[in-house]
Amino acid sequence: AYLPTCASEFNVIVEGIRGTSFTGDIALDDFRFEQCYEEPPLPTCAQAVGDPNQFMCQSKHCIPQANKCDYELDCCDGSDEENIACYDYQRCDFETDSCSWEPSSGSEIEWERYRVTAMPYSRRPPYDHTTRSQLGHYLQLRLNSTTQRDTLATVSNYLGVAAQQGCIMRFWIYFKSSNNGQLVVGYRYAIGDDIRPLSFSSYQSCQTNATQCSWQRIDVLLSSILTQPTEIMIGVRTGADRDGIMAIDDVTYTPQCVKYNGTIPTRPTTTTSTPTPYTGPPTTTSTSTPYTGPPTTTTTTPMGMTTTQGIATTTSTGRMTTTKDAGEKPPTKSNLGPILGGIFGGIALIALIIIGYIYCLPKIRAARDTNASDRLLASLPIGPITNPAYSETATSDA
């Protein structure tokens, strides 16, 4: 943990990280601080107030200006990373989002933002660079058995024309693998163009079995290329090792860099074809022969136009001439129209029949019921209905 020894108060944090074994123990004992103080400031540091290459900490100590605001505590009191000191810097620590860093067009696999504890210990950095703990976030390329060798994976950001020299990009990488490819830093002026490489500071990839591996800072000078809106790209080309750990964190631009909020042009993809020489059979050149067909008929229209059947004619007065060969067959008319007309006509006729049937069916049923009622009434006897067992004479005698 960082120990700001020149401050009046400080905290010491001891953090243990469990490995792959569940039986191991971690024990702490006998803490002791020796020589725990900051060397007094040099007399020449007071002159660094006007030196553009030096930054004076609040403790009156000096650090190189290039180390200011890079998410690495260089001042003993941490004043080189305070927000007020870094106001003019463009910085992204990936703690809340990916800022304006997005997957590049043409990137075959994507960088993903992870919290440290989201992945197994053997597949990630032991800590985040920003917070120096397992609570921070960073970008990591997640490899698997299907990842092909030499696969390109980049993220992009855009810068405008630099108003002054000295624009530098700084970022931190964690590379751990025996053969995990190579770091790629480049730029281009149009989406779809080839990536132009940029020179950057050296770094060392840790071996897979290394017990100690740390974040390393990469510096890239950009001033000479910022003559127009430019896409800045950071990424890797994968190697043969599918278990490699490749992570990026804490990207910063110095104040000389100008952020560009627009979009650069997109270069259309063009395919150039090469003509193939003719290798087929030799060609034959035909010559015109005099017309020997049937006689032609010339008709002059009232408007002065001449129509000639048989051969083409040209009048000396420049009048329009229409030529028609006497033996030419008239164009064949398509039968599609009559066929479609017949189909639609048949469909319309069937629809009319169905509608008529639906409309007339209730009336036919009503007429049928009326006729049945009339026939029933006609079959009944006319006059009073008498009971055959009833005797009117017997009733009178009684």
Side-chain angles (χ1 to χ4, degrees), residues 24 124 127 176 327 366:
R124 61 168 172 82
Y127 58 90
K176 184 177 182 180

Side-chain angles (χ1 to χ4, degrees), residues 357-395:
Y357 178 74
I358 294 173
Y359 176 77
C360 297
L361 182 60
K363 295 185 176 182
I364 295 174
R365 290 181 176 175
R368 186 183 303 168
D369 294 342
T370 302
N371 292 336
S373 299
D374 293 342
R375 287 196 300 271
L376 178 61
L377 293 175
S379 63
L380 296 176
I382 301 175
I385 300 175
T386 60
N387 186 356
Y390 174 76
S391 175
E392 184 178 355
T393 305
T395 304

Side-chain angles (χ1 to χ4, degrees), residues 190-201:
I191 298 175
D193 281 353
D194 294 335
I195 302 175
R196 306 179 187 185
L198 285 167
S199 300
F200 51 85
S201 56

Side-chain angles (χ1 to χ4, degrees), residues 58-128:
Q58 292 181 3
S59 62
K60 305 305 180 180
H61 296 83
C62 290
I63 64 170
Q65 183 73 23
N67 294 345
K68 176 186 173 184
C69 302
D70 64 346
Y71 288 105
E72 183 79 8
L73 296 175
D74 295 288
C75 291
C76 64
D77 55 6
S79 57
D80 60 317
E81 298 297 327
E82 292 182 354
N83 291 334
I84 189 171
C86 303
Y87 179 79
D88 294 331
Y89 288 74
Q90 300 177 48
R91 307 203 303 168
C92 182
D93 57 11
F94 303 107
E95 293 305 314
T96 57
D97 55 29
S98 298
C99 307
S100 55
W101 289 94
E102 301 294 340
S104 308
S105 174
S107 180
E108 301 172 64
I109 52 179
E110 294 186 3
W111 292 83
E112 300 182 39
R113 177 175 165 268
Y114 287 105
R115 187 174 180 175
V116 177
T117 55
M119 299 184 66
Y121 179 77
S122 60
R123 301 298 302 276
R124 61 168 172 82
Y127 58 90
D128 161 66

Side-chain angles (χ1 to χ4, degrees), residues 123-365:
R123 301 298 302 276
R124 61 168 172 82
Y127 58 90
D128 161 66
H129 180 264
T130 311
T131 64
R132 305 300 198 280
S133 71
Q134 297 188 19
L135 303 178
H137 298 77
Y138 54 87
L139 296 184
Q140 181 170 345
L141 194 63
R142 193 164 188 173
L143 305 178
N144 53 50
S145 59
T146 62
T147 304
Q148 298 294 324
R149 184 173 183 175
D150 201 36
T151 300
L152 178 66
T154 57
V155 289
S156 296
N157 188 269
Y158 299 93
L159 292 179
V161 179
Q164 53 184 323
Q165 295 295 316
C167 174
I168 300 175
M169 176 177 64
R170 294 97 46 95
F171 62 95
W172 295 81
I173 63 169
Y174 186 96
F175 276 21
K176 184 177 182 180
S177 179
S178 299
N179 187 3
N180 64 342
Q182 62 183 25
L183 177 66
V184 174
V185 182
Y187 72 100
R188 58 188 177 187
Y189 297 125
I191 298 175
D193 281 353
D194 294 335
I195 302 175
R196 306 179 187 185
L198 285 167
S199 300
F200 51 85
S201 56
S202 61
Y203 69 98
Q204 182 65 40
S205 177
C206 302
Q207 297 297 312
T208 304
N209 58 355
T211 57
Q212 295 291 334
C213 192
S214 61
W215 291 88
Q216 303 175 67
R217 187 177 118 171
I218 303 296
D219 292 5
V220 186
L221 183 61
L222 302 175
S223 296
S224 61
I225 67 168
L226 298 178
T227 58
Q228 56 182 301
T230 308
E231 178 183 8
I232 306 299
M233 309 173 72
I234 303 174
V236 298
R237 285 193 179 276
T238 59
D241 192 350
R242 304 298 189 270
D243 297 326
I245 302 175
M246 290 173 278
I248 297 174
D249 200 6
D250 296 339
V251 185
T252 60
Y253 289 120
T254 58
Q256 294 83 1
C257 305
V258 178
K259 184 177 181 180
Y260 184 69
N261 294 320
T263 57
I264 65 174
T266 300
R267 192 80 64 198
T269 303
T270 57
T271 303
T272 305
S273 59
T274 304
T276 304
Y278 181 77
T279 57
T283 58
T284 303
T285 303
S286 59
T287 57
S288 59
T289 56
Y291 179 75
T292 58
T296 61
T297 303
T298 303
T299 304
T300 303
T301 63
M303 295 298 295
M305 299 175 62
T306 303
T307 303
T308 304
Q309 295 183 352
I311 58 175
T313 61
T314 305
T315 60
S316 60
T317 58
R319 294 177 296 177
M320 183 181 293
T321 302
T322 303
T323 303
K324 181 179 179 181
D325 193 347
E328 181 182 356
K329 295 182 180 180
T332 304
K333 296 183 178 180
S334 174
N335 295 327
L336 182 60
I339 293 175
L340 293 178
I343 293 174
F344 289 120
I347 294 174
L349 180 60
I350 293 173
L352 290 175
I353 293 174
I354 293 174
I355 294 173
Y357 178 74
I358 294 173
Y359 176 77
C360 297
L361 182 60
K363 295 185 176 182
I364 295 174
R365 290 181 176 175

Side-chain angles (χ1 to χ4, degrees), residues 11-23:
N11 294 326
V12 176
I13 300 175
V14 179
E15 183 178 14
I17 301 175
R18 187 183 68 184
T20 57
S21 175
F22 292 94
T23 59

